[in-house]
Amino acid sequence: MFNKPEKETVVHIDILTPKQVLFFEKIVKTLEDLNIKVLVTSRRYREVEQLLELKRLKSHIVGFYGGKSLEGKLVSSSKRIIELTKLLCKTKPKLSISHSSPEAARASFGLGIPHICVNDSPHSEAVAKLTVPLSERLLTPYVIPLKAWVRFGINKRMVVRYRALDPIVWLKDFKPNPKILGQLGVSVDETIVVVRPEETFASYLLKKTGGKPFYLKVIESLLKVLGGDVTLVVLPRYEEQLKTLKRRTFKGRIVVPEKVVDAASLLSYSSVFVGGGGTMNTEAVMLGIPTFSFHPGTPTYVEKFLSRRGLLERVTNPKTLAKKVAKTLREIDRVKRVYALKAKKLVLGMEDPVKVVVKTVSSFL
């Protein structure tokens, strides 16, 4: 399907988040199988570094995550652009790819290196403004309309839409690892509810939440309503969230992994998922797990799409959310059968984004 280049060709891929590790893992391998050398870069960031190690994906660490303040984000991004520029000048890649990395887009543009942008989050406007206009192509899921992207300054002819949602990349042919429960000290006989906090420090949420954690209210309500018959596993995003959860303790009634875990496997053994973000919500849906979203911001295109298909319910009131989770658990067998059928139908209709990305890369090389 794709032609192998005659001479060694270097392609740069910048990875900034845990989701991007999962998304680009197979893309890196596919490109390397085509005799394309891949330069993977990342940054100092708790979950990303741990997941890169878990997946055994080698990367050059360039710079660090800027934290919760706008000043910190700007300073860290500025320094990272300089460091990344030096690395790209040394390695001379023919092409750069990122899931909307402002530093990769800016450094590539400044050096005359074509940049391919993958993005499923037009709601993250600051990131889109800093990457989409500087990219030669934008690859995005089909559920996001063109109008959501052209407002950032890209020609609609440069937008490539794939008929899939991003998690299909790592969930295709996925088989859960049963060892995950033992690693967490949880039994297969327990009723597991997984909670994923919101992106407290994301720039698009800072103005809405002021960096104040909403997930703590959600956890408190769940514990109050569900009682001791349910095991609550909370997966923190940042070191700060981990420390907060450990400090609060919740009287030992929640399980908080110290390190990044195989989230897809954990979800597979869960009864219900409660998420404040986007990617893991979609993961849970595609695995057929009853899913509730408490995402504090405006509903995203992906969230609206999943809601319309009855695969996700958005509930932002903690007390109401806890009651709905309790109701779902009371009839969990029936609910799971319904979700599994809907999820299977959704997944079967998807194409493989890896092929779309690699085909686009091939067209530039």
Side-chain angles (χ1 to χ4, degrees), residues 80-107:
R80 193 165 188 269
I81 288 173
I82 294 172
E83 292 182 41
L84 200 55
T85 298
K86 292 178 181 177
L87 181 60
L88 297 184
C89 283
K90 182 179 179 181
T91 53
K92 302 186 184 310
K94 299 287 186 182
L95 188 68
S96 183
I97 314 168
S98 77
H99 214 290
S100 260
S101 160
E103 298 81 47
R106 181 64 187 93

Side-chain angles (χ1 to χ4, degrees), residues 334-346:
R334 180 191 65 80
V335 174
K336 268 203 162 184
R337 284 195 297 270
V338 172
Y339 269 76
L341 288 172
K342 289 183 179 179
K344 184 177 181 181
K345 183 179 179 181
L346 174 70

